[in-house]
Amino acid sequence: MNYRHIYHAGNFADVLKHAVLARLVTYLQQKEKAFRVLDTHAGIGLYDLSSEEAQKTGEWRDGVGRLLEGELPLEIAAILAPYLSSIRALNPGSELTLYPGSPKLARMLLRPQDRLSAMELHPDDYETLHRLFDADFQSRVTELDGWLALGAHLPPKEKRGLILVDPPFEKEGEYERLVDGLARGYRRFTGGVYCLWYPLKQGAPIKAFHEALKALDIPKMLCAELSVRSDRETTGLSGSGLIIVNPPFTLKSELDLLLPFLKTRLGRDRFASSRCFWLRGEEQTTRGA
């Protein structure tokens, strides 16, 4: 209950997560039928990068700030277009001051027929998020433990959906809860697109986490990881990963382009790395960069 994302908004982990989230929303729009985005750990939705908290850590400067510093190769610009166009819409001037959290980003990309359900347990953050979407009939904000939403709110009535699970990882057992939550959600809604975020840091049980996911026997699970520095000399976040269930068929090839670029643009030392591989399905091979 003590986690505050304002200290980390716009950092390298947000860049990867939100770039992929924007792509997933865009892919779902290739069919006319409506869909719902379910954000289980939504936060406050919109972050002021000029605030005392964001300025104190300055993590956004090495994330979205660095991403926007130089020209982008054409292929990368196309992949990042939905994400970056949303950021620019919030910041029409030359200064970057506002950064969209996942619910705000998703909402900015939705069509009139699409819907957003955002869950937030922290009372203060829930109130802030509720005010952000007040009177927005396409959005529903609920004060609820996001893990419960994977049972109670699936399947969505639209029968099409994107489920983002992005817990704060402030207590033990979150990797196990991710596995259990995905298993519970997938049993109720096998056709959904799931996007699970997790941290990479010293001592993290990543191999066991991946093995537990594979044991769920879900046909298609894609993994994308980006590390910006070595984890040997720090106990903090050195990288982050995403598990995408039922990914669009072109996402793997896009990530094979995007991840090495982000490694180069956002990397902090020579140990920066990236990889994209199938945990289940397709070729089930690992690619490192």
Side-chain angles (χ1 to χ4, degrees), residues 128-149:
T128 302
L129 186 67
H130 188 269
R131 287 194 299 271
L132 181 66
F133 292 113
D134 189 32
D136 179 3
F137 74 92
Q138 287 185 244
S139 303
R140 182 174 65 185
V141 177
T142 306
E143 188 175 2
L144 181 71
D145 183 344
W147 297 114
L148 299 178

Side-chain angles (χ1 to χ4, degrees), residues 128-186:
T128 302
L129 186 67
H130 188 269
R131 287 194 299 271
L132 181 66
F133 292 113
D134 189 32
D136 179 3
F137 74 92
Q138 287 185 244
S139 303
R140 182 174 65 185
V141 177
T142 306
E143 188 175 2
L144 181 71
D145 183 344
W147 297 114
L148 299 178
L150 293 170
H153 289 258
L154 292 178
K157 65 179 182 180
E158 294 82 4
K159 306 303 181 184
R160 299 182 69 221
L162 165 60
I163 301 91
L164 175 65
V165 187
D166 176 24
F169 279 84
E170 62 180 352
K171 57 185 178 180
E172 295 294 324
E174 295 285 57
Y175 292 96
E176 292 81 4
R177 274 185 284 275
L178 269 181
V179 176
D180 293 342
L182 175 60
R184 188 167 63 254
Y186 189 80

Side-chain angles (χ1 to χ4, degrees), residues 232-250:
R232 297 178 182 179
E233 298 177 1
T234 178
T235 57
L237 194 69
S238 60
S240 69
L242 296 171
I243 302 296
I244 304 104
V245 172
N246 295 328
F249 75 95
T250 57

Side-chain angles (χ1 to χ4, degrees), residues 24-239:
L24 294 174
V25 170
T26 302
Y27 279 117
L28 284 169
Q29 293 172 343
Q30 291 181 357
K31 293 183 178 180
E32 185 63 26
K33 188 179 178 183
F35 63 88
R36 182 174 296 269
V37 175
L38 172 61
D39 192 336
T40 64
H41 298 76
I44 65 173
L46 186 63
Y47 299 91
D48 181 359
L49 299 182
S50 67
S51 68
E52 180 181 351
E53 296 90 343
Q55 291 292 319
K56 182 176 181 180
T57 59
E59 289 189 20
W60 64 271
R61 293 189 177 91
D62 288 321
V64 66
R66 234 197 243 190
L67 181 66
L68 295 172
E69 279 179 356
E71 293 293 321
L72 300 175
L74 290 178
E75 288 181 310
I76 300 301
I79 296 170
L80 292 175
Y83 169 54
L84 294 183
S85 64
S86 300
I87 293 175
R88 292 182 178 121
L90 289 171
N91 300 274
S94 59
E95 189 176 0
L96 179 63
T97 58
L98 293 177
Y99 185 82
S102 51
K104 178 64 173 178
L105 176 64
R107 178 62 186 93
M108 293 179 73
L109 295 170
L110 295 186
R111 304 166 301 179
Q113 66 266 42
D114 304 323
R115 297 293 183 267
L116 168 70
S117 292
M119 311 295 157
E120 179 52 49
L121 180 61
H122 195 289
D124 293 341
D125 289 357
Y126 161 75
E127 290 297 335
T128 302
L129 186 67
H130 188 269
R131 287 194 299 271
L132 181 66
F133 292 113
D134 189 32
D136 179 3
F137 74 92
Q138 287 185 244
S139 303
R140 182 174 65 185
V141 177
T142 306
E143 188 175 2
L144 181 71
D145 183 344
W147 297 114
L148 299 178
L150 293 170
H153 289 258
L154 292 178
K157 65 179 182 180
E158 294 82 4
K159 306 303 181 184
R160 299 182 69 221
L162 165 60
I163 301 91
L164 175 65
V165 187
D166 176 24
F169 279 84
E170 62 180 352
K171 57 185 178 180
E172 295 294 324
E174 295 285 57
Y175 292 96
E176 292 81 4
R177 274 185 284 275
L178 269 181
V179 176
D180 293 342
L182 175 60
R184 188 167 63 254
Y186 189 80
R187 282 196 298 268
R188 296 180 63 89
F189 185 35
T190 59
V193 178
Y194 296 80
C195 185
L196 282 59
W197 181 90
Y198 60 96
L200 300 174
K201 54 186 177 180
Q202 191 177 63
I206 302 303
K207 183 176 181 180
F209 173 57
H210 286 172
E211 290 301 319
L213 287 168
K214 287 194 286 187
L216 296 179
D217 203 26
I218 293 173
K220 287 192 176 184
M221 285 193 287
L222 183 65
C223 177
E225 292 183 344
L226 171 68
S227 293
V228 297
R229 60 182 176 179
S230 169
D231 66 359
R232 297 178 182 179
E233 298 177 1
T234 178
T235 57
L237 194 69
S238 60

Side-chain angles (χ1 to χ4, degrees), residues 276-288:
C276 182
F277 62 97
W278 290 98
L279 273 178
R280 296 276 305 182
E282 300 296 330
E283 63 227 47
Q284 294 190 19
T285 59
T286 301
R287 172 174 177 160

